[in-house]
Each structure stands twice: as structure tokens, then as C-alpha cells.
Amino acid sequence: MKRVLIYVTPKAEILDPAGLATQKALKNLGYDNVNEVRIGKYIHLTLDDGDYSDAKISEMCDRLLTNPIIEDYFFEVVDG
Amino acid sequence: MKEKSYEELGLNKPEYERIVEILGREPNYLELNIFAAMWSEHCSYKSSKDLLKMFPNSGPAILQGPGENAGIFDIGDGLAVAMKIESHNHPSAVEPYQGAATGVGGIIRDIVAMGARPIALLNSLRFGSLDRPRVRYLFDGVVAGIAGFGNCIGIPTIAGEVYFEDSYEGNPLINAMCVGIVEKDKILKSGAKGIGNVAVLVGSATGRDGMHGAAFASEELDEKSEERRPSVQVGDPFMGKLVMEACLEMLERGLIVSLQDMGAAGITSSTSEMAAKGSMGIDVHLENIVLRELSMLPYEIMVSESQERMLVLTKPQDLGKVYEVCARWGVSANAIAEVTDNGRLKVFKNGELLADIPAVDLMKGTPKPDLRSEPPSWQHELNSRSEIDLLPISEIKTVFLKMLSSTNNCSKQWVYSQYDYVIGTNTIGLPSADSAVIRIKGTNKALAFKVDGNGGYCYLDPYVGGQIAVAEAVRNLVVRGARPVAITDCLNFGNPEKPEIYWQMENCVSGMADACRKLHVPIISGNVSLYNESFGDPIYPTPVVGIAGLIDDADLHQTPQFKNAGDVIYILGNTQAELCGSELQKLLMGEIYGLCPRIDLQKERALHDCLLSLIKNRLIRSAHDISEGGIALAIAECCIIGNIGAEVKAESNLNAYEFLYSESQSRALVSLRPENEEQFLEQCSRFSMSAHRFGTVGGSRISIAGLFEVELKEAAEAWHMTLPKKMEV
Amino acid sequence: MVNPKLGIVVFPGSNCDVDCYYALKSVLKADVRFIWHQEPVIGDLDCVILPGGFSYGDYLRCGSIARFSPVMDDVIKFAESGGLVLGICNGFQTLTEAHLLPGALIRNRGLKFICEFIHLRVENNKTPFTMNFENGQVIKLVIKHNEGNYQANDSVISELKSSDQVLLRYCDEDGNTGDGANPNGAKDNIAGIINKNGNIFGLMPHPENCCEAVLGSGDGMGIFSSIIDYIRENR
């Protein structure tokens, strides 16, 4: 069994209102050095025995798990 | 895992002894957990049952009183309305978003359980002071949770109330109300019928959500409450929507014998109540229950409070069709139990009998708690002070703006614009007006709804506070042209084992019952939430009234805002110097004391009859209830919402502050066309209603002769900007 | 006279389908039916509507799962062959996920769900969806969404503008656009767009809740009546 850990982030040029609000909140708490906050998603898949090819995983990401217009992603495959 | 003792599960010695008596032996651990859940305050109402008997609960329009998942009243045209209010206070204090969301989810299922399609949601929220970060966090989370659930499931949230008082800081109150429409001949009950009929669990898998949630809601909060956080249930409004549609479709196709919602104490309460109410028995088979976590123990399965689950009782020959409907909607459905004739709840796993309890004793057998009633030692002293340091008249404009912008009086648009209030294409008007109005398609009628309460008044005088809670709710319906039909109530109090709290409960309920009788509105359903205390400090006694009214001709519904320049403004009812318990007292003195306003229910009734007559005869152009914030707030709202000023003159022996901010009962602010003035006054005298000419609508200012004037823009800004400013990130 | 046939797709979690149906059937007396998301063939229709709501709970991303529903193959075929498609709110989100319209709808900049009656300026009335309005007309519709913030890169926005594909913009009651009149941060104040071919319209506001003055506005009727009239004139 393998696990795929997918990190999804908003594309650099896309406005991230949640990130902006969070940066402001951190500043209000005294963390002045935080220049930027981007908030994304973390998707975790558990795969049965089968095809773990990077191509297959990328396909899942491109087709459904992410929206390539507004999101970037990268992933890592780890053992069970 | 270590087994808990009966005390740790929330039972006391007399209760444990009664269990042994009922079973004729010691209970096993599964049976003990089942009793602990069913005999918790939240499920059994043991501390309030006797008091609730005081409420009148029947009437010519009432089809279903207390005892079912919701109350139902007839509205003619073959239709009926189901209504219920419920609290979700304890879970929301720990996890505000999910606590509020699941509160909404639960109340919706109660309405669906009667065979009704939900048409509207309302809520009553109380928090501590918004100056506190923790309170802002709770407020933000609760509103987002209500919105997140209600909007997603597609039911409009049309009205509500929000109050901020220090008393609720440790114990926010989240009361959620739902109303639905059902055809009279399709009303469902929850009692089991027909030996051999099959109970199907429809909806989400059963997990460890809300373990001991019923018990959690029946205890005070303390420093350990955060640790108990895993007890909070997580809502899934998408699944909720699918389950609701599947159930309504099964109902339409005649596949449902009876229906039960799975709320507090999940499978335990739904199966045992189904059996007890039908005077039948039920055999539950644990192996058929779909689990989210396979390692769950029998007692965990039985008391789990996983959300979005309903129990559908169907005839064995209809099982196939039930599965078909559920499959189409993509919801899981499994036959988990069948009806027997032995009156017992029996739990089996793979044929092995694990629990065997008489159903009726489980549902109704709680020994009567030994509760005493005694007025609080501080009550007399609290009521004997009454001096309020009124400011000099030169401050009157500043005070006006401060009152408009106080968190209790300000516009709640920040809240209601997070709710979809238009879905269903039935909502008439914005949520900002006294009560909300929903039209009923296929008829000329409309329904009006409101939730109302005032913990401060009840703290000062529980009996009168209870009377006012009902009277004000009715008044809010009447100003929209609706005649009151029925009430669903939510009683929020501290620890009933304390004699002074029980005394508060007794008196509030008594006052409410009195007003219900004199105003002819029965209480057909409701909820009780007790143990709302933190570190020994109780909340104000806070009964919340959810009320429904009928507008026979939807075209005649009234709105509160001023309409046209030249319209004449009148105050109906009399204003006395009654500032104790008022918003002004809170602003000037930082606390409340003295006696809350008095109420004469006959005068109140006269006001209602008079208003309904004026509206029916099209003699007035606007009507607004005068309550918190007195005449000043009422006129401000009429001007701001109508975007038009007013020129008025206070003619009174009272001090200006007393006149403007007194919270005397049985009053309304109306406006009318000058040409209707004569007939208007005739109607008022017919009902022996005092009517005081106040001034005229017009201009761009709110101008109170001899006192102050304020630009409408400035007043609107003060009223609108409070919450957005306070909640800015 | 041709009676236009409209179909409203119902996904699990759609909840504005009933309001759409009511507006078309009871108010406009049109021939309209529901299309369950699992129907593989939509049949003979003049217009397909993807209604508002929370298809699949808005889980993962709004409309991201709905776009793969069985019925969508035929809807896409219908759209690509020139059939009229109207996507309202969640429907608009689904159309962008299905790449039938460019851009994407992300979280409102205020991070809160907004339910509010707002003003819109009609930018192009030469379409089947807006022909009963005047160019520049200011109308009042209701928005109710958490993810209505239209975003696309600059070249897409530029293209939309130069090809007159922006049909509705958020504005104040006098028709002026600006930050104060933009409820959710949508780029260029965009509330609704049409595809290049002019047959697919996506908008965030809800016309179906604005077909009777007593409910707050009757302006939504203009969009539905445009569709009906267009079909009658061109069938």
C-alpha cells in the first residue's frame, strides 16, 4: 500500500483573499516579518496495490483534484 | 479501555437503583450506556417535565402538540405547518462552527421526521461582550456554521435575533428553529406500528461523533470542557440534503410507516422512542449498521451521534423500493431493526443478545429528581434598586447615536447577509423587519415567523419576563398583519439542581403559560437546555419564544419602514418611566437592576386586535413594534430602513431619556396617510387604544423637537457600521 | 408558434433548480422539465440550464465534481453544437470547470457568503440571453454565494472585453462600476460572461429569485424572456 501526499497551492498570480486575511491576522499578533501567506490544500490518497506511476497521479490531479487555471500542485509518494 | 462508572456516565444513585429495579438485575455496560444517554437531561427532560405541563398546548388549529418530533398546526387548503426549536448551546461553546451547523442539521431532520418539507430557518443567538476576542471567535464561527449548513442544504434562513450580554460569555446560546409545510393527510408520526416492519437506517455511516453528546449537554462547562472537544459532532449538509430528498420522495411514494430523526443518543433514542411511542418492541442488529470505524464497540455504536441519519420504518414488502430510492439519491440504506410485540429494546450482534431493556421505562422511567425551588438570596436587593444616573439633556444626541450603535440595537445585516434568505422564492421582505414573512404558493396566504426572548427581564423578574417573552413575540407578528397561531419554545437556564435556578424556571414557565392563555397561543413543541453555567456562574434565565402566525391575505402584509413624506406618525399605547432592564440602563450603568417593565395582558391584547383591524382595513402604511431601545430605536429603524426622515415632538411629562428609551410594553409605532387619520382614530377608540400623534414623515433628518436632530446618513452609518467594524479582521 | 423546450439539470446538492422551474413554468408558462444528472441523453431541448446550489456540497471545488456527471457529456455536445446553455451561480462554476467558459470563480474577497440585492449593468444586449434589455441598462438581481469572485489572467480578460463577451458587470444604482459596487472582488467587476460563439452564458447572480417585484425585484425575468423570445424567433 502506498500513500500519495498532494500539495495544492493557488497559482502565484492568483489573488488569495484567505492568504491576505491570514497575513493581516499574523501581523496583528506581532509577527511582522511575514510578507506573504498563500493558503492551499493538502490531499492525501491511500492507494491499493496497483499503478503508482507519476503519470497516473498527475492525471488524477489534472482531471479532478486541482483546477489548473488557478492552482499548482506537487506530490510525493510514500510507503503505506 | 477502562469502563466508566455510572456516575461518570452522568447517572446518580437513585437512577442507578431504578435501573436495577426495572431490569430485575444489574445492567451490563452496554445497557448502562443506553440508560445514561436516555436519562440525561437533554433526552429525558427529567428536570423540566413537570413544569412544561403548565403550558397550554392545544387549540382549534393544532393538529399535533408536544410529544412528537415537531408540533403541527392547520393553515387550511389541506396544508399544515410543522415547527420546532432546539438548542445546541454546549457544543457551540467548544466548537462554534460545527456546533451551530449540526444544531441546524438536527432541527431540519425533526421537521422532515413529521413528513414536512422544511421551508424556513430562524435562529436566536446570545453571546458575551463583542469586545472579547474569544466572543468574536464564537460569534464568527456560529454565524458561519449556520450559514454553511442552511445555505448548502437549500433552506432560507429568514429571521433571527442576536444579543450580546456578559451573562452569556461562558455559555453562548444557539437556538435553531425550523418550519416546514406538509399536506394534512401525509403527516407522519414516529411511533412504531406493525409487527415485523423493518427499520432502515438511511444516511451517513456511524462513527464516534458526539460520543456522550447528550450527557455533555447536560453538564456545566469547566476547564475540562476543551478536552471533551472530540465529542462535537461534524455536520455534512450535502448528505443532509440527499437524506432529506430521499425521505421526502419515499414519503411521496407511500413507503414510510413512521419516521424518526437520529439526534441526541442516535440509534438508542430513535429505536427506543419509536418502540415506546408505538407501545411496541424493537430488535436492533448491530452487524447491519454501516460503521465509519470498524473497531467501534456496541455501546459506541448505540450512542453515537453521527449526523445526517434518519430511521425509516417500512413494510418488509416495500424494502426493495426504499433501497431503490436511496440508491438513486446516493445515500446508504440498511435494515437495522424490526418491530416486535414484546415492548422491549433488544440489541443483538450476530444473533447474540447484548442488551434487553423495556422500551417505555427507558423512555419515561427516570425517577423524579428531587428539585427544590427558592428565590435567589440576591433577588430582593436586585429589585429594590432603581436609580439610574441620567445624563444631562445636552448629551441626548450623543446618547442616541451610541444607542443606535450598541451591539444589541445595531443593524444585524452583517449576520443575515451571510444567510441565503431568498431561496424558495417565498420570502417577502428583508430579514431586518420585526418578523419574517413567507408566502404559501397555491394559496393567497402567507406565514409570519419570529424568535424572541429577553434574558435580562427574566433575570429581574422571571414571571413577568416570561409573560413579556410571549407577548413581545405575538406583537412582532401582529405588526406584520399576522394573527398568532402557535409557539415553539426553547428554555435556556442554569443548573436546575440549584433551588434558585429551579425557582427561575418555575416562574418563567408560569409567566409564559399565563400569557399564552390570555393571548390564545398554545405551545406545541419545544426544547429545554439546562446546566448553562460556567465555573458555577449561571446565565440569565432565558426562555426563547419561536412563534408562527397566519396572514389570511398575503397582499395585506405590513412592513415597518416609513413610506412617504407627509404620512402621519402615531404611538399606540402608553409610555411610563420604565428604564430598569432597558438597553439605556445597560449603556449608562453597565448593568441591569430594578424591576423590568410591567405588562398588562389585556392592554396587550387590545393592541394586537387594534393593529390587526387597522391593517385589515388598510388604514396604516407602516407598523413597528416598540421594545428594546424604546421609541428612539423604533423611530430610527423606521426612518433608516425607509430611507426617509421624520419630524416628531415628544409630548410627555417624562424626562426626555425616559420618554425615548423606556421599554414599556404594549406599544407600537405606526404611520398613516393623513386622509386616513379620522378613521384610524375611530378604530383606535373602538379598541380603547391610546393613540398619541407623534409627528410626520419626511425630510432627510430624524428630528425630535426640542431635543435634537440627526442627519439620516449619520444615523444610518451608526446603525449599520457597528458589526462590520467590530468583526473586521 | 414554437413552444421552447427547456431542461434544468439537477445534480445531487443542486437546490435552486426548483426556483428556476417555478420562474419558467409558473411565471413564464414555458415547457420545462428537470434532467436528473444521471440521464445520459438530454433529448430534444432548446436550452439547458445548470442551476445554482451546492452540487456535491461544493466539496473539492465548486462544480468540480458536477462537471463529470453522466449527463454532462451530452450537455457539452449540445453546447458545442450551438445549443443555448445558461449557467447560474453553481452552474457558472460548473461551466468554467468544464472549460465551456474561460476563467474560474474563487472565494469572495471578504471571505464570507454574501446574500444581497445588487445592481448590474447590461453590457451587451445582442445575445439570446440579454436581448430584452437595453445596452447600459441597470438591473437589480440577488447574489448569494461564497465563491463568486471571477478571476482569469489578463489576456483572457482582455479577450473577453474586446469580443464583447462580458454581459453583466456589478455597478451602483446609477450604473457606475467601482470597488464599492463590487461585492466579491471579481476582476473587472465581471458578474456574467458569454462564450465566443454566443450560446453559453454564465452568471453569478440569480435571475430565478428576481421574477416578481414582491420578492425584491422583477428584473430577472428579462433574462428568461430573452431566451424564450430568441428561441421563438430563431427555431
Side-chain angles (χ1 to χ4, degrees):
Chain A
M1 208 159 73
K2 297 264 181 194
R3 286 188 306 147
V4 184
L5 315 177
I6 306 168
Y7 302 84
V8 185
T9 54
K11 274 190 143 64
E13 64 268 24
I14 288 293
L15 175 75
D16 180 10
L20 282 175
T22 307
Q23 186 206 0
K24 216 171 163 193
L26 283 172
K27 255 198 162 66
N28 286 341
L29 288 173
Y31 302 106
D32 290 320
N33 301 349
V34 180
N35 287 331
E36 203 195 14
V37 175
R38 310 285 289 167
I39 298 185
K41 246 181 263 181
Y42 168 60
I43 302 177
H44 168 173
L45 307 177
T46 313
L47 302 179
D48 288 341
D49 295 319
D51 180 2
Y52 315 122
S53 72
D54 281 5
K56 210 39 175 244
I57 296 168
S58 294
E59 197 185 275
M60 281 194 274
C61 290
D62 292 331
R63 274 191 91 192
L64 178 68
L65 300 177
T66 76
N67 182 342
I69 296 178
I70 49 171
E71 291 171 327
D72 284 328
Y73 67 90
F74 66 93
F75 59 86
E76 46 181 331
V77 183
V78 302
D79 280 325
Chain B
M1 193 172 50
K2 187 175 171 282
E3 287 187 355
K4 294 198 168 119
S5 67
Y6 70 76
E7 285 118 337
E8 283 167 320
L9 289 175
L11 294 165
N12 59 33
K13 193 149 188 265
E15 287 167 344
Y16 184 78
E17 285 168 353
R18 176 67 64 90
I19 292 170
V20 172
E21 204 185 342
I22 288 171
L23 296 178
R25 53 171 170 82
E26 304 266 336
N28 62 33
Y29 195 60
L30 171 59
E31 289 165 338
L32 190 63
N33 272 276
I34 288 173
F35 272 103
M38 291 299 289
W39 285 12
S40 68
E41 185 62 54
H42 190 82
C43 282
S44 69
Y45 289 69
K46 58 194 171 189
S47 303
S48 57
K49 262 197 304 215
D50 280 351
L51 296 181
L52 297 179
K53 293 190 185 129
M54 282 198 255
F55 288 145
N57 49 39
S58 59
I62 307 306
L63 299 174
Q64 175 65 54
E68 278 290 336
N69 285 299
I72 301 190
F73 62 88
D74 194 340
I75 56 172
D77 293 293
L79 298 173
V81 171
M83 68 191 253
K84 179 99 181 277
I85 191 170
E86 235 178 39
S87 60
H88 229 228
N89 305 332
H90 289 71
S92 303
V94 171
E95 180 15 79
Y97 184 99
Q98 290 300 341
T102 51
V104 171
I107 195 68
I108 289 170
R109 287 194 307 273
D110 274 329
I111 296 302
V112 174
M114 303 306 291
R117 175 171 281 281
I119 56 165
L121 293 164
L122 296 89
N123 54 73
S124 168
L125 311 176
R126 283 172 167 78
F127 303 92
S129 159
L130 262 192
D131 292 331
R132 301 218 185 286
R134 167 108 190 139
V135 171
R136 290 198 292 275
Y137 162 73
L138 290 177
F139 178 48
D140 195 75
V142 163
V143 174
I146 293 170
F149 201 100
N151 297 344
C152 183
I153 201 169
I155 301 166
T157 301
I158 59 172
E161 57 164 15
V162 191
Y163 283 98
F164 302 95
E165 319 261 7
D166 287 336
S167 176
Y168 306 105
E169 187 173 327
N171 293 86
L173 299 184
I174 281 80
N175 296 166
M177 172 173 161
C178 184
V179 298
I181 294 253
V182 57
E183 282 167 52
K184 270 172 72 171
D185 54 6
K186 291 222 167 77
I187 295 173
L188 283 175
K189 304 279 170 99
S190 58
K193 283 186 289 248
I195 299 165
N197 276 345
V198 179
V200 181
L201 197 167
V202 172
S204 290
T206 298
R208 289 198 165 92
D209 308 70
M211 285 309 303
H212 299 296
F216 180 58
S218 308
E219 55 184 48
E220 298 180 28
L221 293 174
D222 57 28
E223 55 277 329
K224 296 239 172 58
S225 298
E226 279 280 325
E227 278 170 31
R228 289 196 280 279
R229 208 191 243 243
S231 279
V232 173
Q233 313 95 311
V234 174
D236 180 351
F238 172 54
M239 179 61 76
K241 163 86 174 164
L242 300 177
V243 169
M244 177 175 78
E245 295 300 341
C247 286
L248 290 172
E249 187 178 320
M250 285 188 272
L251 173 68
E252 188 66 28
R253 291 170 55 169
L255 302 172
I256 305 185
V257 172
S258 59
L259 191 53
Q260 180 67 284
D261 141 58
M262 278 190 191
I267 295 170
T268 291
S269 60
S270 53
T271 51
S272 59
E273 282 179 22
M274 210 176 224
K277 283 185 195 161
S279 306
M280 309 289 269
I282 195 159
D283 284 349
V284 179
H285 303 279
L286 295 182
E287 67 276 8
N288 292 344
I289 295 166
V290 176
L291 301 176
R292 220 166 63 216
E293 288 161 80
L294 297 173
S295 62
M296 284 174 76
L297 297 170
Y299 84 85
E300 292 177 312
I301 300 172
M302 287 301 289
V303 306
S304 158
E305 295 188 357
S306 293
Q307 300 291 292
E308 336 310 347
R309 300 176 300 163
M310 298 285 287
L311 196 64
V312 175
L313 192 68
T314 189
K315 300 196 183 98
Q317 59 265 35
D318 288 332
L319 205 47
K321 292 199 194 105
V322 164
Y323 287 150
E324 200 188 289
V325 174
C326 291
R328 210 171 74 87
W329 282 101
V331 298
S332 153
N334 288 84
I336 65 159
E338 68 264 354
V339 177
T340 65
D341 62 355
N342 58 37
R344 299 180 82 84
L345 165 69
K346 291 190 182 177
V347 181
F348 295 90
K349 186 163 186 192
N350 297 317
E352 187 193 342
L353 179 63
L354 301 181
D356 183 357
I357 304 170
V360 173
D361 287 317
L362 181 59
M363 196 178 138
K364 300 192 181 156
T366 25
K368 205 165 161 161
D370 179 26
L371 297 172
R372 285 168 303 119
S373 165
E374 239 172 66
S377 54
W378 40 259
Q379 192 75 44
H380 181 76
E381 209 214 300
L382 177 70
N383 293 140
S384 49
R385 296 163 66 195
S386 61
E387 280 302 303
I388 298 177
D389 304 328
L390 295 178
L391 293 177
I393 286 293
S394 54
E395 297 297 306
I396 200 147
K397 180 173 169 178
T398 315
V399 169
F400 179 72
L401 291 168
K402 276 204 176 125
M403 283 291 279
L404 276 188
S405 58
S406 89
T407 51
N408 278 348
N409 302 330
C410 67
S411 164
K412 303 298 182 297
Q413 187 173 19
W414 183 93
V415 174
Y416 68 71
S417 64
Q418 293 183 52
Y419 304 146
D420 179 349
Y421 50 85
V422 303
I423 190 167
T425 58
N426 291 324
T427 311
I428 300 180
L430 289 176
S432 61
D434 295 313
S435 32
V437 173
I438 291 268
R439 66 177 180 181
I440 306 163
K441 291 191 178 96
T443 76
N444 289 333
K445 300 174 184 148
L447 290 161
F449 300 102
K450 183 79 167 79
V451 269
D452 233 329
N454 190 317
Y457 288 176
C458 293
Y459 168 66
L460 296 179
D461 187 334
Y463 183 84
V464 174
Q467 290 178 311
I468 291 175
V470 171
E472 204 187 307
V474 176
R475 203 183 313 137
N476 274 310
L477 285 187
V478 162
V479 291
R480 300 252 18 217
R483 44 180 183 80
V485 182
I487 286 174
T488 181
D489 72 300
C490 196
L491 302 178
N492 303 279
F493 291 88
N495 180 342
E497 297 167 64
K498 295 181 179 167
E500 65 269 21
I501 303 292
Y502 195 71
W503 178 85
Q504 289 175 334
M505 285 168 64
E506 204 174 46
N507 280 279
C508 278
V509 169
S510 190
M512 290 168 75
D514 182 54
C516 285
R517 271 189 298 273
K518 298 216 170 91
L519 299 175
H520 303 296
V521 211
I523 295 186
I524 62 174
S525 62
N527 181 250
V528 179
S529 168
L530 301 176
Y531 297 93
N532 291 290
E533 304 202 356
S534 293
F535 300 94
D537 221 354
I539 55 164
Y540 288 155
T542 314
V544 169
V545 172
I547 192 166
L550 194 57
I551 302 174
D552 293 304
D553 181 352
D555 287 335
L556 288 177
H557 81 272
Q558 194 60 261
T559 50
Q561 67 271 25
F562 292 148
K563 310 285 184 314
N564 279 21
D567 285 348
V568 184
I569 305 169
Y570 268 84
I571 297 171
L572 295 179
N574 289 318
T575 307
Q576 336 275 14
E578 287 181 295
L579 286 176
C580 289
S582 74
E583 291 300 315
L584 184 71
Q585 186 185 42
K586 291 172 195 169
L587 181 76
L588 296 180
M589 308 307 293
E591 55 173 329
I592 54 171
Y593 49 83
L595 280 178
C596 70
R598 304 291 89 192
I599 184 160
D600 177 337
L601 288 168
Q602 253 184 310
K603 288 212 170 94
E604 184 73 44
R605 183 78 201 265
L607 173 72
H608 301 166
D609 291 340
C610 181
L611 278 167
L612 286 175
S613 175
L614 290 169
I615 292 169
K616 186 169 176 193
N617 290 302
R618 299 178 195 261
L619 290 173
I620 52 176
R621 298 206 70 187
S622 76
H624 192 24
D625 165 38
I626 299 176
S627 54
E628 282 101 354
I631 290 168
L633 191 64
I635 196 163
E637 286 176 348
C638 292
C639 287
I640 295 170
I641 300 172
N643 198 25
I644 190 166
E647 259 180 58
V648 295
K649 187 175 171 145
E651 269 158 15
S652 164
N653 298 331
L654 300 175
N655 171 293
Y657 288 104
E658 283 170 342
F659 176 75
L660 290 176
Y661 297 106
S662 203
E663 292 181 7
S664 299
Q665 296 296 299
S666 314
R667 295 179 299 160
L669 190 70
V670 302
S671 71
L672 49 135
R673 289 193 174 88
E675 54 265 34
N676 291 136
E677 201 167 350
E678 203 181 309
Q679 270 191 289
F680 164 80
L681 290 170
E682 257 167 45
Q683 281 291 307
C684 290
S685 88
R686 223 189 101 203
F687 292 95
S688 310
M689 193 72 241
S690 349
H692 310 273
R693 199 180 206 275
F694 197 25
T696 46
V697 176
S700 64
R701 289 191 208 112
I702 301 172
S703 172
I704 308 187
L707 293 179
F708 68 91
E709 59 182 31
V710 151
E711 285 295 323
L712 193 57
K713 271 205 180 88
E714 197 183 349
E717 168 114 7
W719 191 65
H720 274 125
M721 293 314 294
T722 306
L723 289 187
K725 278 204 196 120
K726 279 218 174 333
M727 297 305 290
E728 216 165 54
V729 165
Chain C
M1 165 123 92
V2 168
N3 199 13
K5 293 206 223 35
L6 301 104
I8 302 171
V9 178
V10 181
F11 299 105
S14 292
N15 55 36
C16 302
D17 47 318
V18 178
D19 290 350
C20 240
Y21 185 92
Y22 179 76
L24 286 164
K25 191 144 190 114
S26 302
V27 188
L28 269 174
K29 316 266 185 268
D31 178 352
V32 58
R33 75 171 186 92
F34 290 112
I35 309 169
W36 184 236
H37 74 113
Q38 277 165 350
E39 291 176 33
V41 170
I42 61 175
D44 178 29
L45 290 173
D46 298 302
C47 176
V48 171
I49 298 175
L50 302 186
F54 287 71
S55 60
Y56 297 94
D58 273 0
Y59 295 149
L60 188 63
R61 293 178 312 280
C62 304
S64 63
I65 302 175
R67 67 162 280 213
F68 287 116
S69 270
V71 75
M72 284 303 288
D73 281 339
D74 214 30
V75 170
I76 292 171
K77 247 192 238 140
F78 175 80
E80 282 169 353
S81 63
L84 294 181
V85 177
L86 173 67
I88 303 170
C89 197
N90 191 219
F92 184 12
Q93 291 160 343
T94 307
L95 289 172
T96 60
E97 285 280 342
H99 307 304
L100 288 174
L101 285 174
L105 283 321
I106 67 170
R107 189 115 178 250
N108 295 344
R109 74 178 156 194
L111 302 177
K112 294 256 175 245
F113 186 97
I114 304 172
C115 178
E116 207 182 302
F117 280 86
I118 45 89
H119 293 97
L120 300 152
R121 195 174 64 205
V122 178
E123 307 285 49
N124 175 0
N125 71 346
K126 309 239 177 319
T127 81
F129 307 95
T130 50
M131 58 186 240
N132 287 347
F133 296 116
E134 299 293 327
N135 257 343
Q137 183 178 346
V138 176
I139 62 173
K140 188 169 154 192
L141 294 180
V142 72
I143 52 167
K144 33 182 200 155
H145 55 241
N146 213 338
E147 286 88 5
N149 182 348
Y150 183 76
Q151 294 293 325
N153 65 35
D154 290 334
S155 68
V156 169
I157 300 284
S158 195
E159 173 90 62
L160 290 173
K161 282 160 86 164
S162 60
S163 313
D164 289 326
Q165 285 173 256
V166 179
L167 295 196
L168 295 172
R169 278 203 171 80
Y170 299 111
C171 65
D172 65 18
E173 58 191 359
D174 299 316
N176 301 315
T177 57
D179 216 49
N182 183 330
N184 51 35
K187 216 161 180 182
D188 208 33
N189 306 299
I190 289 171
I193 57 169
I194 202 165
N195 65 335
K196 261 228 163 58
N197 197 37
N199 64 312
I200 306 171
F201 177 30
L203 75 162
M204 284 314 296
H206 288 256
E208 75 280 15
N209 288 133
C210 303
C211 288
E212 293 167 79
V214 72
L215 298 176
S217 169
D219 293 341
M221 190 49 73
I223 293 175
F224 294 123
S225 67
S226 295
I227 297 172
I228 303 276
D229 290 345
Y230 177 85
I231 294 167
R232 287 209 174 109
E233 286 168 25
N234 291 279
R235 249 288 198 105

